Amino acid sequence: MEFSTSTATSLHTLKAQALAIGVFQDGILSPAADALDQASGGAIRAVVQSEFDAAPGSCLTLHAPAGITADRVILLGLGRQDSLTAAILAKAHQAFAGYCVSAGVGTAVSTLCALNAGDASPTDCARTAARLVAAATYRYDQTFSRAKPAVKLRSFTLHLPRSKAAQAKTGLEQGAAIGAGVNLARLLGDLPPNVCTPTYLGQTARGLAKQFKTLKAEVLDRKKIEALKMGSFLSVAKGSVEPPAFIVLRHTPSKPAARKAAPIVLVGKGITFDAGGISLKPGPAMDEMKFDMCGAASVLGTMRAVAELDLPREVIGIVPSCENLPSGSAVKPGDIITSMSGQTIEVLNTDAEGRLILCDALTYAERFKPAAVVDVATLTGACVIALGHVNSGLFTQDDVLAGELLAASRQAQDPAWRMPLEDAYQDQLKSNFADMANIGGRPAGAITAACFLSRFTGKYRWAHLDIAGTAWLEGKQKGATGRPVPLLTQYLLGQCGA
Ligand code: BES
Ligand code: MN
Ligand code: ZN
């Protein structure tokens, strides 16, 4: 995909297979729509009045309109003019990108980032547009016997005033990198669990390190994980014959001056299949537990974006990865294990395995003396009940870090919602036989999971993102979303003052 900006003055002589213009409710045209309406002798206004309500996300195609050189003009509904938001512009760009891909459009131009929406800058608008367009070109065809037809969309241009062009260019560049990161995360999530194993995730990290010279990958095998005394991680891994992997992927910025600040560490849950272990899950929809490595996928996807942009900040991605299966060698309810931190854990439910692999990764992260650690995990069904499929759950006791992550989530159109994390919930993890139990009962299940993790994060600033509801879609559109790569990359951009 080629991303560019255009500041050409006459819109009606622009050559493109699809040209997007914004239309508001009550027949109000955006400046671009108005210009084209005049060039076409009133064709736009006529169709808007007769059959377009301009609801957010709606679109209508005009083929070969007179007086306009673009093959098609796509009207994009933006709702009421006085309540235009960056989210509505994103929705319109998503509809436009989806249209272009399904109609086989090769060259697309959008005028939407010329509009002012809330507090979103031209950079924000362009970044979001580019990552949505890049994501719209994603097509999973790895495991079909016949390849699907290639996506034709090859160029996306933002048409805007000269005063906004430089900012938009920066945004397009960031958005292209984020989009590629999102698509990597989606591919890893979508691949079947007999392909996307811990070993495969390790190879993916190595592949990234080959592709981007700022990245260095290290993949620890079972022996090295044992040497580190990661008893908690290993207790989950031992139920499967599939070898575990502990992946460390490190971005060192090419500018030496950018290497001074303490690194930011991202930790991603990499359970490549979660059957529940001895506490076996019920059968229906169990296939979706191949997505239980989406935290890991989002960390790898974010590292890809970070490397492509050569972000001026050291960033380290850590992925503990294994399967959670029942077997004669699997961890049992009642077993007590010793984590790398030395704290002991009574395993009351082997299906609460995410926290068991993450806690050792969080202890490992201490060695980097990080400025902040953010872990990402499809951790609890309870988080899906609490927040549905809209918001990722954000848990932290650090108000500053919470503010930064929430701001990034809004700026990136990748929403998260802060959940409580008070010490009062810690009591639910009390065990009669170990320092803690691995479950806290049904009430506040997403919070007690975060409480469990918090016990391993005393040495640095830390936040946890539960993406159980946002990492993939169910039903007919079943597939990974690539979230929260946009949120994480935005947060990191912010930490670089970008
Ligand atoms: N991977 C699951 C969480 C999950 C469930 C994500 C459904 C998305 C959809 C996790 O390992 C798990 O099984 N959690 C248990 C914890 C419980 C045993 C305390 C859960 O949420 O039921
Ligand atoms: Mn589980
Ligand atoms: Zn799980």
Side-chain angles (χ1 to χ4, degrees), residues 269 271 274 281 289 292 324 351 353-354 378-379:
K269 172 179 173 183
I271 295 289
D274 180 12
K281 285 185 181 293
M289 283 299 118
D292 212 19
N324 184 27
D351 198 10
E353 86 297 341
T378 49
L379 201 63

Side-chain angles (χ1 to χ4, degrees), residues 79-128:
R80 287 171 51 91
Q81 185 173 29
D82 55 9
S83 51
L84 182 65
T85 61
I88 291 173
L89 284 185
K91 209 170 172 184
H93 270 134
Q94 187 152 26
F96 180 51
Y99 169 82
C100 288
V101 168
S102 61
V105 166
T107 56
V109 178
S110 166
T111 60
L112 295 191
C113 288
L115 298 166
N116 299 316
D119 56 357
S121 66
T123 312
D124 292 331
C125 184
R127 184 195 311 107
T128 300

